[in-house]
């Protein structure tokens, strides 16, 4: 019942929730029985493709029974798995999202300019589809020993190739897959300024040669331990030359700006509103609030001032 309550947040009018609610208590009892008797099987995925911000195949499961089961699992496992993550792992963890990562990077650049002169930036090639299921099962078994739970997790893992994007459990599987790499970086390699959001990774250091050597070691670890490949667009560069593009922002030692693509989307949305819509002040804020959340946490005063001059609506916020 608790999993059902959590899974339906923000989805009360969705088809899956409305259909489930016609026989809610009966469905919950039936699902409980399937889990006890080990007859639960993952439903067929609805697969579709999105093209922004880049082309990806998204796997969607029905609300009942799958999403309820996934939430029931995470009600128990979330504190267990979160205890494994390092302090600088940020994706899909309560109170450790984009803004927490941005705050930590800004603090490192501001407080220690000498030891953050250079940045190594990488991400993983086709990360979710490339996750090796046998390795993932082995990582899970380092912490979980309950045979019935492991059987259920194995069934979910084996329901698709790799780890399907869009599956509620996938975000935790993906984080867990790199959790021991995080510890290797922090404890074995002694990296102080290491930050990971999903498969986007940055390392800050004062020595460029050190970062090149570290990159070689990281390649070996990914290939041997996790069967992953680093994308060819990896970079090592001086932070003072161009800033670090990470979690939607571009970080410099002295200031932080919005990523160019986010800034463009905000400008395009305002242009469309100015051309086609007549809104109240509250409706206007609702229309641009996704971008507003980005702009509030960086040095965007000049951008907002320019947009204010071209907008029919008042644009201002409290930092």
């Amino acid at each position: 019942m608790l999993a059902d309550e959590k899974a339906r947040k923000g989805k009360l009018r969705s088809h899956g929730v409305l259909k489930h609610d016609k026989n809610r208590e009966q469905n919950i009892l039936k699902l409980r029985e399937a889990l006890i008797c080990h007859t639960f099987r993952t439903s067929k995925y609805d697969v579709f493709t999105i093209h922004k911000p880049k082309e990806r195949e998204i796997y969607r499961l029905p609300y009942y029974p799958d999403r309820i089961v996934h939430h029931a699992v995470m009600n128990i496992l979330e504190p267990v798995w979160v205890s494994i993550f390092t302090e600088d792992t940020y994706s899909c963890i309560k109170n450790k999202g984009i803004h927490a990562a941005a705050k930590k990077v800004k603090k490192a650049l501001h407080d220690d300019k000498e030891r953050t002169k250079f940045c190594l930036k990488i991400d993983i090639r086709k990360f979710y589809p490339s996750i090796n299921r046998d390795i993932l099962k082995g990582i899970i078994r380092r912490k979980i020993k309950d045979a019935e739970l492991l059987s259920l997790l194995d069934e979910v893992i084996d329901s698709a190739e790799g780890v399907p994007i869009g599956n509620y459990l996938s975000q935790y599987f993906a984080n867990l897959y790199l959790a021991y790499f995080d510890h290797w970086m922090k404890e074995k390699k002694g990296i102080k300024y290491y930050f990971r959001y999903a498969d986007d990774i940055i390392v800050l250091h004062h020595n460029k040669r050190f970062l090149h050597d570290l990159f070689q070691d990281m390649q070996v670890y990914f290939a041997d331990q996790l069967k992953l490949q680093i994308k060819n667009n990896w970079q090592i560069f001086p932070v003072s030359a161009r800033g670090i593009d990470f979690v939607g922002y571009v970080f410099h030692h002295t200031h932080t700006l919005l990523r160019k693509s986010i800034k463009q989307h905000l400008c395009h949305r305002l242009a469309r509103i100015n051309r086609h819509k007549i809104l109240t002040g509250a409706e206007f804020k609702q229309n641009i609030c996704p971008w507003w959340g980005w702009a509030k946490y960086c040095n965007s005063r000049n951008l907002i001032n320019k947009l204010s001059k071209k907008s029919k609506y008042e644009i201002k916020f409290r930092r």
Side-chain angles (χ1 to χ4, degrees), residues 189 208-218 236:
K189 306 305 289 184
K208 188 175 182 180
R209 181 70 260 169
F210 175 87
L211 290 179
H212 278 282
D213 293 340
L214 176 66
F215 174 71
Q216 299 298 324
D217 292 342
M218 292 167 72
I236 296 176

Side-chain angles (χ1 to χ4, degrees), residues 66-81:
D66 300 87
R67 293 190 67 84
I68 297 174
V69 167
H70 291 191
H71 277 269
V73 168
M74 289 313 303
N75 283 343
I76 305 301
L77 285 189
E78 185 173 15
V80 176
W81 284 349

Side-chain angles (χ1 to χ4, degrees), residues 13 19 27-28 81 99 114 143 153 165 170 187 214 220 231 248 257 271 286 313:
R13 297 182 181 179
K19 182 179 178 181
N27 285 341
I28 293 294
W81 284 349
H99 294 307
E114 284 300 313
K143 199 73 173 177
L153 292 174
I165 300 173
S170 292
E187 295 152 21
L214 176 66
V220 172
K231 278 186 183 178
L257 302 175
Q286 185 68 29
Y313 303 91

Side-chain angles (χ1 to χ4, degrees), residues 144-162:
I144 307 299
K145 305 301 179 184
D146 182 88
E148 290 184 293
L149 176 56
L150 288 172
S151 176
L152 175 61
L153 292 174
D154 288 350
E155 200 284 326
V156 175
I157 291 168
D158 291 334
S159 65
E161 292 295 324

Side-chain angles (χ1 to χ4, degrees), residues 266-274 284 288 307 311 315:
L266 172 57
C267 294
H268 292 160
R269 172 54 67 92
L270 285 171
R272 284 197 298 271
I273 291 173
N274 287 335
F284 172 72
I288 66 167
L307 294 176
S311 174
I315 305 177

Side-chain angles (χ1 to χ4, degrees), residues 37-186:
C37 297
H38 308 146
T39 58
F40 171 81
R41 296 293 179 270
T42 298
S43 305
K44 184 179 179 181
Y45 286 97
D46 174 24
V47 183
F48 59 95
T49 302
I50 62 171
H51 300 278
K52 290 183 180 181
K54 60 184 178 181
E55 187 170 302
R56 290 173 174 168
E57 276 195 339
I58 304 296
Y59 289 69
R60 181 167 55 197
L61 285 169
Y63 176 80
Y64 172 84
D66 300 87
R67 293 190 67 84
I68 297 174
V69 167
H70 291 191
H71 277 269
V73 168
M74 289 313 303
N75 283 343
I76 305 301
L77 285 189
E78 185 173 15
V80 176
W81 284 349
V82 167
S83 70
I84 301 172
F85 301 146
T86 67
E87 184 182 351
D88 290 309
T89 303
Y90 292 96
S91 173
C92 308
I93 303 171
K94 287 179 181 177
N95 303 317
K96 291 186 70 179
I98 286 171
H99 294 307
K103 183 178 180 181
K104 200 70 176 292
V105 174
K106 282 191 280 189
K107 180 174 172 57
L109 291 170
H110 179 270
D111 293 352
D112 198 351
K113 294 179 182 178
E114 284 300 313
R115 289 194 289 177
T116 58
K117 288 182 178 179
F118 295 96
C119 176
L120 164 62
K121 185 176 186 297
I122 68 167
D123 60 357
I124 309 300
R125 182 178 178 273
K126 295 184 177 178
F127 177 47
Y128 276 74
S130 298
I131 289 176
N132 183 289
R133 290 183 289 184
D134 291 333
I135 294 175
L136 175 59
K137 291 175 184 178
I139 290 172
I140 289 172
R141 279 161 172 76
R142 292 190 187 188
K143 199 73 173 177
I144 307 299
K145 305 301 179 184
D146 182 88
E148 290 184 293
L149 176 56
L150 288 172
S151 176
L152 175 61
L153 292 174
D154 288 350
E155 200 284 326
V156 175
I157 291 168
D158 291 334
S159 65
E161 292 295 324
V163 168
I165 300 173
N167 189 330
Y168 180 67
L169 276 176
S170 292
Q171 57 192 355
Y172 294 97
F173 287 153
N175 238 351
L176 193 65
Y177 199 70
L178 294 178
Y180 292 99
F181 168 77
D182 297 339
H183 284 280
W184 178 79
M185 287 287 287
K186 287 281 193 178

